[in-house]
Amino acid sequence: MEFPATRAAAFDRLEAFLPRAGRAYAATRNQDAGPGVDGSTSRLSPAIRHRLISEAEVAHRVLGAHGYGAAEKFLQEVCWRSYWVGWLQLRPAIWQRYCADVDRLTAAMDASLRTGLAMATEGRTGIDCFDAWARELVETGWLHNHARMNFASIWIFTLRLPWQLGADFFYRHLIDACPASNTLSWRWVAGLQTPGKTYLARADIIRDRSGGRFAVTAALAREAVALPMDVIPPPRPLLPADHHDPTLPSGLLVTTDDLSVETLPLPPLRAVAALPCFDGDLRSPKQVLAETALADGLARAATRAGVAAEQLASANGIDALRDWANCQGLRQVVTGEAPVGPIADWLAAVTPALAADGVRLVQLRRPWDAAAWPIATKGFFAFKSVIPRLLAP
């Protein structure tokens, strides 16, 4: 399977899929033909996750080609990611709690959990669909959305494994791994996101949606008992957006959270650098795609600014960034705003270090995010009602 890893390839993929983004998508989107088949989805999610191409660019192109009525289902799926990201942006404690849970469960893992986790992640459970999906995920970095939901349900309710470790398995391998979409989707399957609402994997539906590829003769859980609810904090006000000072000597920091630098309102730039990718096995599909996308974004940024591009050393990112800023004589480093997740956590740590050197770190918020995030206060159905307004020119 091929996924776009450059901005140009993302636009090519969008144009190729465009005829199927209307009613054809709505009719076939839940069908999973398996790896190697150009199926019912656009396969743009890795490019959107890294913002090689933005939600706004995809949505407006599809809207122009089909109109809202015919393309409503595709447009809603694009907006689901914006909703998840906005929901977590307003409740960052959920991300912090999830990360702490993964660390705690990993540190305290007993022999039984270690064995069960190995059987699940290596595809040795005896559940044919689940085992095939586990291998597909590791080998390709991809799973169809319907497969992801069923995998998560079997992991939680049939295998009785902690949902946090399943979400971590997905996050380490999925080439479109989004902190918000991944974490909150696993919570939704487990019945934590929408109180009492779970997703139960059913053999007959799996057989139908996979075109009969799986027999699913192993016994699956017959009921999905929601996990004990945790406390969901109320949404906090969205923090004010940063604004750059065009008079300060400035550099651009390119990260894998935002690689559409052409569409950012940037000040004049003296230098451009890229933040190394921190997660993923060096040879995993996730890491390979992220590094290719980052190199593409860095090259385009350098061309736009008319300066040389620099890849920062990965051994100590904070010191490398400080050294770069000081060597270039910068007083301001701008970057695309990173939503809640590992890069946002890293930027929060580097901000005071740069400030100690007299350098501002400015995260530029995109208009799409400024419009979408504040309205992700409740469930998606409330958010869905304002999608036409979000898509308005």
Side-chain angles (χ1 to χ4, degrees), residues 16 26 32 44 50 61-62 85 224 244 260 284 288 297 311-312 326 335 349 391:
D32 178 15
L44 280 168
H50 294 300
R61 184 72 182 93
V62 170
V85 172
H244 67 73
S260 294
S284 72
V288 170
Q311 174 79 48
L312 299 180
N326 288 326
T335 189
L391 296 176

Side-chain angles (χ1 to χ4, degrees), residues 218-253:
L220 304 183
R222 293 190 176 184
E223 62 176 332
V225 179
L227 302 184
M229 282 298 298
D230 55 9
V231 176
I232 297 179
R236 70 176 188 183
L238 187 64
L239 298 178
D242 289 346
H243 298 281
H244 67 73
D245 182 342
T247 68
L248 293 177
S250 301
L252 173 67
L253 178 64

Side-chain angles (χ1 to χ4, degrees), residues 104-128:
R104 173 182 55 81
L105 289 164
T106 302
M109 194 177 300
D110 59 20
S112 176
L113 178 55
R114 188 175 295 108
T115 298
L117 189 63
M119 291 178 66
T121 58
E122 295 168 12
R124 297 187 288 108
T125 67
I127 304 171
D128 60 350

Side-chain angles (χ1 to χ4, degrees), residues 33-373:
V37 179
D38 193 14
S40 58
T41 64
S42 70
R43 294 186 184 162
L44 280 168
S45 60
I48 295 173
R49 184 266 177 269
H50 294 300
R51 280 203 160 148
L52 286 165
I53 190 171
S54 70
E55 294 96 327
E57 289 170 322
V58 172
H60 288 132
R61 184 72 182 93
V62 170
L63 185 66
H66 293 279
Y68 188 78
E72 181 178 11
K73 186 54 66 175
F74 183 87
L75 294 170
Q76 286 179 4
E77 293 302 311
V78 171
C79 291
W80 256 109
R81 178 180 182 273
S82 299
Y83 166 73
W84 280 139
V85 172
W87 193 97
L88 194 62
Q89 197 73 7
L90 302 180
R91 302 166 183 84
I94 295 293
W95 168 254
Q96 296 158 4
R97 188 186 305 165
Y98 156 72
C99 292
D101 284 348
V102 171
D103 290 343
R104 173 182 55 81
L105 289 164
T106 302
M109 194 177 300
D110 59 20
S112 176
L113 178 55
R114 188 175 295 108
T115 298
L117 189 63
M119 291 178 66
T121 58
E122 295 168 12
R124 297 187 288 108
T125 67
I127 304 171
D128 60 350
C129 57
F130 185 94
D131 292 347
W133 291 330
R135 292 189 295 268
E136 182 182 348
L137 173 60
V138 173
E139 293 167 5
T140 71
W142 174 258
L143 285 178
H144 187 282
N145 184 59
H146 203 263
R148 299 183 196 198
M149 292 167 55
N150 284 295
F151 185 100
S153 179
I154 294 170
W155 178 288
I156 296 168
F157 301 117
T158 298
L159 301 179
R160 303 291 182 128
L161 294 171
W163 73 266
Q164 298 95 327
L165 296 183
D168 180 61
F169 178 54
F170 267 25
Y171 188 78
R172 286 185 288 109
H173 290 283
L174 283 170
I175 58 177
D176 60 354
C178 165
S181 297
N182 185 59
T183 305
L184 301 182
S185 293
W186 274 82
R187 285 175 54 85
W188 180 81
V189 170
L192 298 173
Q193 194 62 21
T194 303
K197 184 176 179 61
T198 58
Y199 179 78
L200 182 64
R202 287 174 41 189
D204 58 333
I205 294 179
I206 293 171
R207 285 191 289 266
D208 176 66
R209 298 287 169 82
S210 67
R213 288 187 296 124
F214 304 117
V216 202
T217 55
L220 304 183
R222 293 190 176 184
E223 62 176 332
V225 179
L227 302 184
M229 282 298 298
D230 55 9
V231 176
I232 297 179
R236 70 176 188 183
L238 187 64
L239 298 178
D242 289 346
H243 298 281
H244 67 73
D245 182 342
T247 68
L248 293 177
S250 301
L252 173 67
L253 178 64
V254 181
T255 80
T256 52
D257 268 6
D258 196 322
L259 295 171
S260 294
V261 292
E262 295 87 341
T263 57
L264 280 173
L266 298 173
L269 298 173
R270 285 190 177 187
V272 174
L275 178 69
C277 303
F278 290 119
D279 53 6
D281 181 270
L282 290 178
R283 296 186 180 276
S284 72
K286 174 184 178 179
Q287 189 74 5
V288 170
L289 185 141
E291 290 182 350
T292 302
L294 184 64
D296 177 67
L298 179 60
R300 286 183 283 103
T303 298
R304 173 182 172 178
V307 299
E310 185 171 344
Q311 174 79 48
L312 299 180
S314 59
N316 190 333
I318 292 179
D319 287 346
L321 182 61
R322 292 177 71 180
D323 290 345
W324 170 73
N326 288 326
C327 287
Q328 298 293 337
L330 305 180
R331 287 296 170 262
Q332 180 173 253
V333 173
V334 297
T335 189
E337 183 171 12
V340 169
I343 290 180
D345 292 343
W346 189 86
L347 291 175
V350 80
T351 298
L354 285 175
D357 298 334
V359 181
R360 299 177 67 215
L361 178 65
V362 178
Q363 298 191 52
L364 301 175
R365 182 173 298 163
R366 294 184 176 275
W368 177 276
D369 297 336
W373 291 353

